[in-house]
Amino acid sequence: LCLSVGSFLAGAPTDGIPKNWSGRIVITVWWMICMVMASMYTANLAAFLTVSRMEVEINSADDLIKQNEYIFGTVNASITEDLLIHSENEDLQNIAKQWNSKPTFAESIERM
């Protein structure tokens, strides 16, 4: 950071620092990019180390039927509801039997 500011303001030693303005601007931009990348890496590492991972226990339709932790459903008379009710797959029909359909999309969002 000191090198980039010094090269831009022409206050740093002249060893290896460009003398023209375009070179100084390139060095300044390069160091700023390096600083941003280092700060992004530090922030992502801190977030990764402090936040616990949530494990989703639902991997299939059968898992969804057996669990009691999550409430699920569809909007009443929607394509998804029609697809699940008239499906040939028995698991999807069981899902359709367990949910409570809401009449509007807004009510479904409020339920979540």
Side-chain angles (χ1 to χ4, degrees), residues 16-69:
I17 296 176
K19 295 182 185 193
N20 55 3
W21 280 101
S22 61
R24 291 179 181 184
I25 290 172
V26 167
I27 285 180
T28 302
V29 169
W30 172 250
W31 278 105
M32 287 186 183
I33 289 171
C34 290
M35 293 299 290
V36 167
M37 295 298 283
S39 63
M40 286 174 43
Y41 172 76
T42 304
N44 283 332
L45 181 63
F48 177 76
L49 293 176
T50 57
V51 175
S52 63
R53 298 265 176 179
M54 292 180 55
E55 293 184 23
V56 179
E57 299 168 0
I58 301 171
N59 295 321
S60 67
D62 191 42
D63 293 342
L64 183 63
I65 294 168
K66 291 178 182 176
Q67 62 86 29
N68 292 324
E69 186 176 348

